[in-house]
Amino acid sequence: MTDELYEACHHAAHVILPGGERFRAGRATLVVLENLGWGVWARMIRRSPLVYLVELGYWLVANNRPLFSKFLFTKEHDES
């Protein structure tokens, strides 16, 4: 990992495919989804103009992590 890539990973998720193709932020998320079995949907969303909505959503969540973590990553309480 280069120093430049290391620094860039502090700001957004990155995916580097075996062939060397790089994806970051929302596009990296779509590559992960494609490999998790959402292939058809991820490939459709990767097209313009939908990919811009993914990038906007990624940017909103990434820049507001504390707010989203209150709703998305809460502990489940034991009901016993």
Side-chain angles (χ1 to χ4, degrees):
M1 177 181 295
T2 65
D3 291 338
E4 181 182 329
L5 180 58
Y6 181 81
E7 184 62 33
C9 288
H10 285 279
H11 304 286
H14 284 71
V15 171
I16 303 173
L17 298 179
E21 191 173 8
R22 295 180 181 198
F23 298 91
R24 66 178 297 278
R27 287 174 175 88
T29 304
L30 290 174
V31 170
V32 170
L33 288 174
E34 184 175 347
N35 285 284
L36 288 176
W38 291 78
V40 173
W41 291 103
R43 284 189 298 275
M44 284 176 29
I45 295 170
R46 204 187 299 184
R47 297 183 184 272
S48 182
L50 295 176
V51 72
Y52 300 118
L53 294 174
V54 171
E55 292 292 344
L56 176 63
Y58 184 94
W59 181 84
L60 287 171
V61 172
N63 287 301
N64 295 288
R65 283 184 180 112
L67 175 67
F68 283 96
S69 68
K70 289 180 184 178
F71 302 107
L72 298 176
F73 303 108
T74 59
K75 289 184 179 181
E76 296 209 15
H77 298 286
D78 187 35
E79 295 183 18
S80 56

